[in-house]
Amino acid sequence: MSYRYCYWIFTLCFLLVGCRKSTEGTVLSPGRATVSRLPYEVKAEPAVFESAFFPGKQVQQHSSTIILRQQLLGNLPVSSGQLVATDPITLSAQTPCFTTQFLRGRFPVELAIARFTSDERVAFAHVLFSAKPLARWELAVLPGQSPLPVRGPEYYGYLVDGGMALFLDAADVNRFSHFMADEAAAKNLMITCFHLDSAVPVPGFLYATSHDTLAAFSTGFGDGSYATYVGLDAENQPCRLLTDFQVLAWQ
């Protein structure tokens, strides 16, 4: 067999493999956070949105003490500066992003996990854009939505129907929605990677496909409508994005 013939066989095999649609992504190792900050005296309310991510945090609720632990999922690539928070089941190419323009780069996604007697639930998920202290929170809005007060009787939220949610860059929504249209890909992300068939499911992770990287995490006690908030620093620059999964009472 000639070298030229072997070369063309190898090239054909490479193209066939390379063109085959991948139905599985990869769970990434968290690595080291690109942004970190020390605990400080939080003045922006609700204070628990920030202090829940401080080591050793405890809160009193219904005569019980809830201990919070923090988990780094990894550093989320933000290429457009626009972010989407959504349920993967309802994700489509038309899913809108928040109107806030965030920094571009790679930023830590962290979970604040509430420990109960025999259970753990994700209370908050956030993206940490800077180490600057918070000055205030505001409700994240989509195009066409009017601002609402953080402590008001109404809020905007995204619906969760699969017990999990995502943070991803708006530039990745179209590709990833097509990726998730594949049944095997959806099963890999929503069941296999969360270890739902085991006694110890994982609360979240960074997930990478051939083109996109996103953060996936469980949503409190499961399905519901969950509000997302933008934290701003003293210069009125966005420094946090946080979803509250209604595990801790703060109203």
Side-chain angles (χ1 to χ4, degrees), residues 16-123:
L16 288 173
V17 172
C19 292
R20 185 167 50 200
K21 182 181 179 181
S22 172
T23 59
E24 292 188 1
T26 302
V27 174
L28 301 180
S29 174
R32 185 173 181 177
T34 55
V35 179
S36 62
R37 45 91 178 83
L38 296 173
Y40 64 95
E41 183 182 356
V42 181
K43 296 182 180 179
E45 294 290 342
V48 72
F49 282 6
E50 179 80 339
S51 62
F53 294 91
F54 297 165
K57 175 64 177 178
Q58 299 182 9
V59 298
Q60 296 295 128
Q61 184 165 297
H62 307 308
S63 303
S64 300
T65 300
I66 299 175
I67 300 173
L68 290 153
R69 71 174 181 88
Q70 299 73 41
Q71 181 167 328
L72 171 67
L73 301 187
N75 298 301
L76 179 69
V78 181
S79 60
S80 71
Q82 297 179 303
L83 287 177
V84 171
T86 185
D87 178 334
I89 292 177
T90 60
L91 177 69
S92 73
Q94 289 73 45
T95 299
C97 63
F98 297 117
T99 58
T100 303
Q101 183 70 37
F102 295 95
L103 294 173
R104 299 180 184 185
R106 300 176 66 89
F107 303 99
V109 178
E110 300 173 322
L111 305 180
I113 302 171
R115 294 178 178 175
F116 299 92
T117 303
S118 58
D119 194 13
E120 287 190 337
R121 298 286 172 168
V122 176

Side-chain angles (χ1 to χ4, degrees), residues 132-235:
K132 293 182 178 181
L134 281 165
R136 65 184 180 90
W137 289 98
E138 64 182 25
L139 194 64
V141 296
L142 301 175
Q145 293 178 337
S146 300
L148 292 175
V150 170
R151 292 187 179 274
E154 298 179 326
Y155 68 89
Y156 302 117
Y158 58 89
L159 292 175
V160 170
D161 194 35
M164 63 170 290
L166 310 174
F167 287 155
L168 70 161
D169 189 276
D172 299 335
V173 166
N174 186 42
R175 284 191 303 264
F176 192 71
S177 64
H178 283 87
F179 177 84
M180 285 294 289
D182 183 276
E183 183 178 350
K187 180 180 179 181
N188 180 61
L189 171 63
M190 300 182 65
I191 298 177
T192 305
C193 292
F194 273 98
H195 297 178
L196 294 186
D197 54 354
S198 73
V200 187
V202 298
F205 45 82
L206 238 60
Y207 187 80
T209 69
S210 57
H211 298 289
D212 312 309
T213 301
L214 54 98
F217 35 84
S218 60
T219 54
F221 293 105
D223 299 345
S225 176
Y226 300 114
T228 301
Y229 302 86
V230 177
L232 299 117
D233 61 26
E235 286 76 41

